Amino acid sequence: AGLIVAFRGTLPLALSKPSTFFQSLLDWLTDAEMAQIEVPGIPGKVHQGFAKALLDLWEPLTVAITRQLGQLASGQDVFVTGHSKGASMATLAAVRLLNLEGIRASGVFPFAPARAGDPDFASAYDEGLPGTWWFANRDDIVPHLPPSEEFFKILESLPETTFKGLKALPEYEHTKTLQFIQWDGKIIDFGKLSRLAALELQARRIEHLAAKLLTGKVGEILGDHACEGGYMTAPCGAED
């Protein structure tokens, strides 16, 4: 027995045609407020949109968690999870629960998270919460966002819309515990790869997604992001 704290994701992106998809993606990114801010209880600087969403529900959330823990036997585990935007919020929440409430999650499992903070945040997170395993499924675009410099060059090349407004984005970085669901459904733990093998697989991920973006395979990209897709089936069937 234990307590699971779960955050839901955002509404799906428009699918009608590639140009609509890319424009709705740009709108989603703009609405997400990707400027970085400092938040009490969280090291480094983090994504303004995700942080605001978490702060809006922080008081009732912590009240509910405290109440639920009071009803459980002492020493029960707390697990934090979420999908998409909810996955990024779960990452921030796990840090804040530890630093402000003294509640250390036994496990944090974000599915399809966008990057939640800067390199200082990611480094402090890796040190303080090693019991985290975040998942990225095949050609899901969300874990590549906000875009790195390498991925941004691909977005710039897309013919359907313009991403010029993203050039001033601050630097974002994921935590180190990526569990990548490959195209054959098997899960690769990036933490067990050599640095060279990790870089090679990361390059393959970007190339594979870029090919689908450039050929307008929006449905496949959105399918890879869907919660009921590989994110549910692959971890359940994993041997380890």
Side-chain angles (χ1 to χ4, degrees):
L3 177 64
I4 297 175
V5 181
F7 297 85
R8 70 170 178 84
T10 54
L11 296 175
L13 297 169
L15 180 57
S16 57
K17 57 183 179 179
S19 58
T20 305
F21 166 72
F22 293 130
Q23 192 58 53
S24 66
L25 176 60
L26 182 58
D27 291 340
W28 184 90
L29 291 171
T30 302
D31 292 341
E33 300 178 76
M34 288 179 290
Q36 291 177 346
I37 61 173
E38 295 181 352
V39 177
I42 300 179
K45 293 183 178 180
V46 297
H47 188 288
Q48 179 173 297
F50 300 151
K52 283 185 175 181
L54 180 64
L55 292 174
D56 284 345
L57 53 80
W58 187 254
E59 184 175 351
L61 173 68
T62 53
V63 169
I65 290 174
T66 302
R67 182 176 66 249
Q68 291 293 327
L69 288 177
Q71 296 173 0
L72 296 173
S74 60
Q76 292 296 320
D77 292 322
V78 175
F79 301 97
V80 185
T81 188
H83 175 258
S84 192
K85 177 183 178 180
S88 302
M89 291 173 63
T91 303
L92 300 181
V95 176
R96 218 161 187 259
L97 285 171
L98 175 61
N99 292 338
L100 294 186
E101 309 297 331
I103 299 173
R104 177 181 290 277
S106 300
V108 186
F109 303 94
F111 294 88
R115 295 178 174 93
D118 66 5
D120 289 339
F121 165 78
S123 177
Y125 185 100
D126 289 329
E127 182 177 350
L129 284 163
T132 297
W133 296 268
W134 69 272
F135 292 81
N137 183 42
R138 297 185 292 189
D139 297 312
D140 181 0
I141 192 173
V142 173
H144 294 275
L145 304 175
S148 63
E149 182 178 353
E150 181 180 12
F151 192 65
F152 177 75
K153 292 178 181 178
I154 294 171
L155 295 179
E156 277 190 308
S157 69
L158 296 175
E160 299 290 349
T161 188
T162 176
F163 284 80
K164 293 180 181 179
L166 301 181
K167 287 187 176 180
L169 282 178
E171 183 179 6
Y172 278 88
E173 185 173 314
H174 269 304
T175 58
K176 293 181 179 179
T177 54
L178 169 59
Q179 310 297 300
F180 176 56
I181 304 171
Q182 298 189 105
W183 300 276
D184 61 2
K186 295 180 181 179
I187 299 176
I188 292 292
D189 183 348
F190 262 59
K192 295 181 179 179
L193 298 177
S194 67
R195 177 173 175 77
L196 177 59
L199 289 173
E200 289 176 345
L201 183 52
Q202 177 65 6
R204 283 185 59 205
R205 288 180 64 208
I206 292 176
E207 291 172 1
H208 215 270
L209 175 56
K212 287 190 176 180
L213 286 170
L214 293 170
T215 54
K217 295 182 179 178
V218 177
E220 294 182 18
I221 295 170
L222 293 182
D224 286 344
H225 181 63
C227 188
E228 65 272 15
Y231 286 112
M232 293 186 67
T233 58
C236 293
E239 295 180 359
D240 295 328

